[in-house]
Amino acid sequence: MIRPDLLLHPTPKGLYCPPGDFYIDPVRGAVDRAVVTHGHADHARAGHGAVLATPETLAIMEARYGEEFTKSRQPIEYGETVEINSVTVWMSPAGHVLGSAQVVVEWKGLRMVCTGDYKRRRDPTCRQFEPVPGTHVFISEATFGLPVFRHPDTDGEIRKLLDSVAMFPERTHLVGVYALGKAQRVIKLLREAGYNETLYIHGALEKLCKLYEDHGVALGPLDTATLDTKERGAQERFRGKIVLGPPSSFHDKWGRRFPDPLPCFASGWMSVRQRAKQSGVELPLIISDHADWDELTDTVREVDPEELWITHGREDALVRWAELEGRKARPLRLVGYEDESID
């Protein structure tokens, strides 16, 4: 079998495929051809000459960057194969956000899989992660690649929020969520838990919530969380309600106008108590769109690659774990992918 680094290797611009002449999720500057795993800003940037991605990811990039985000776009469905120069490329679901995909690259009998970001637990807003059989090199993220990160049951976190709403009906629950993926997932989980009242959303979430609904993800009644300060008693209608918005918005003037706000934050990082405390979060909700430690290690065992490469996150711990398992592993130390707090 050929050496894997002849097919993919790290460069300052990101993970590069020489025989195909393309980058996967390029991290620095515009490139002629990019293959994009999902729509988060640290993986999907504007300005590339050509972008290959799932139809949903292309729609997300257009919604975020405008119609001219690339000169040429090429949609690819899960399982569909394309040839880029002499390299075969196809996508497998990653379970991270709507349209997220693992990129499968094949050349001269070598199969390499780059996960982008992924998680294994159920998400009602996107396709479930699917392991790719016959993977020779598995290129995994490791955002939560430490044994201390073991995320609790997601339904239980949603129940904590609903119990708090019932316990404090005089307060407005402000739930910090990232605009892409986390917002729609939390909304959908609330609906599944039986919460059918109108949910109020910050204007920054509107476009992507509509995009999800246009792609078949029903989110129930939503309304814009607009406060007209000239209207008498305008604030009162938000007592006992749930308002979702970007975490940063709750610290500005917009967030402080809600009656007796109870700040919440849905993120995998809420398992770090100090981080929640520093952010002023009263009700931390440990809901992550990334694999936790058990999901990462279980996935490596399930895929059982000949080599494990780690693109970003807590690389060293996962590499050490792999070595103790008798696996060949290496960190790629790619710079440019951020943790959830950025997106």
Side-chain angles (χ1 to χ4, degrees):
M1 189 172 67
I2 64 170
R3 289 195 348 249
D5 59 358
L6 294 177
L7 179 55
L8 285 173
H9 63 253
T11 73
K13 287 188 175 182
L15 198 58
Y16 179 59
C17 176
D21 192 21
F22 62 83
Y23 290 83
I24 298 176
D25 292 352
V27 294
R28 187 174 299 168
V31 301
D32 289 339
R33 183 184 292 275
V35 177
V36 174
T37 60
H38 66 282
H40 278 142
D42 55 335
H43 291 256
R45 292 171 164 82
H48 304 309
V51 173
L52 174 73
T54 63
E56 295 86 353
T57 294
L58 292 172
I60 289 167
M61 293 180 74
E62 180 176 333
R64 292 191 131 183
Y65 303 129
E67 192 174 349
E68 304 297 324
F69 73 89
T70 181
K71 295 177 183 175
S72 173
R73 65 184 79 182
Q74 184 175 1
I76 181 172
E77 302 284 354
Y78 294 125
E80 179 186 355
T81 61
V82 298
E83 299 291 324
I84 304 179
N85 299 317
S86 59
V87 178
T88 301
V89 177
W90 54 284
M91 303 282 198
S92 182
H96 180 55
V97 298
L98 181 69
S100 61
Q102 306 168 77
V103 177
V104 185
V105 179
E106 299 176 349
W107 186 60
K108 296 186 177 180
L110 174 65
R111 173 175 288 180
M112 302 179 74
V113 177
C114 180
T115 65
D117 292 333
Y118 75 99
K119 68 176 178 293
R120 301 302 304 268
R121 60 190 65 197
R122 193 184 77 87
D123 181 339
T125 67
C126 66
R127 284 275 299 270
Q128 192 80 9
F129 178 97
E130 294 180 11
V132 177
T135 298
H136 298 108
V137 179
F138 188 59
I139 307 171
S140 175
E141 64 136 324
T143 301
F144 290 104
L146 287 173
V148 295
F149 292 118
R150 288 186 160 92
H151 301 148
D153 173 64
T154 305
D155 291 341
E157 297 301 287
I158 291 296
R159 179 49 54 191
K160 279 168 51 180
L161 172 59
L162 292 176
D163 288 347
S164 182
V165 172
M167 188 175 297
F168 303 107
E170 76 285 3
R171 304 186 69 179
T172 302
H173 283 66
L174 301 181
V175 184
V177 288
Y178 307 112
L180 171 59
K182 190 65 63 61
Q184 297 78 25
R185 184 180 175 205
V186 168
I187 291 170
K188 190 69 177 176
L189 290 170
L190 283 167
R191 299 309 187 199
E192 288 187 345
Y195 189 85
N196 296 315
E197 293 189 34
T198 297
L199 288 164
Y200 296 90
I201 59 175
H202 188 280
L205 307 184
E206 287 185 78
K207 187 183 294 185
L208 287 170
C209 284
K210 183 178 184 308
L211 186 148
Y212 266 65
E213 293 205 293
D214 289 345
H215 284 80
V217 182
L219 299 178
L222 304 176
D223 198 359
T224 306
T226 302
L227 274 172
D228 184 354
T229 55
K230 296 179 181 177
E231 179 187 344
R232 191 172 183 180
Q235 296 177 327
E236 296 306 308
R237 70 188 179 102
F238 290 102
R239 287 197 186 278
K241 305 300 182 184
I242 299 175
V243 176
L244 299 101
S248 59
S249 66
F250 296 155
H251 299 293
D252 61 22
K253 187 177 179 181
W254 180 86
R256 292 195 297 271
R257 289 185 295 180
F258 292 99
D260 197 8
L262 194 156
C264 320
F265 188 8
S267 167
W269 297 109
M270 288 299 96
S271 61
V272 183
R273 290 186 180 181
Q274 190 62 23
R275 196 155 179 164
K277 187 177 179 180
Q278 289 174 345
S279 302
V281 174
E282 194 168 332
L283 179 62
L285 302 169
I286 307 171
I287 301 175
S288 176
D289 286 330
H290 294 262
D292 67 5
W293 175 257
D294 289 331
E295 292 174 74
L296 288 168
T297 54
D298 288 349
T299 300
V300 173
R301 288 182 176 127
E302 184 176 359
V303 175
D304 196 23
E306 294 178 10
E307 290 189 32
L308 171 66
W309 294 4
I310 316 296
T311 51
H312 60 282
R314 277 57 183 172
E315 298 167 307
D316 291 343
L318 194 56
V319 168
R320 180 60 179 152
W321 167 85
E323 291 172 345
L324 290 173
E325 287 252 321
R327 299 180 181 277
K328 189 175 182 180
R330 60 173 287 201
L332 299 185
R333 306 198 189 287
L334 290 176
V335 176
Y337 300 123
E338 309 293 347
D339 64 33
E340 281 188 274
S341 64
I342 302 300
D343 190 84

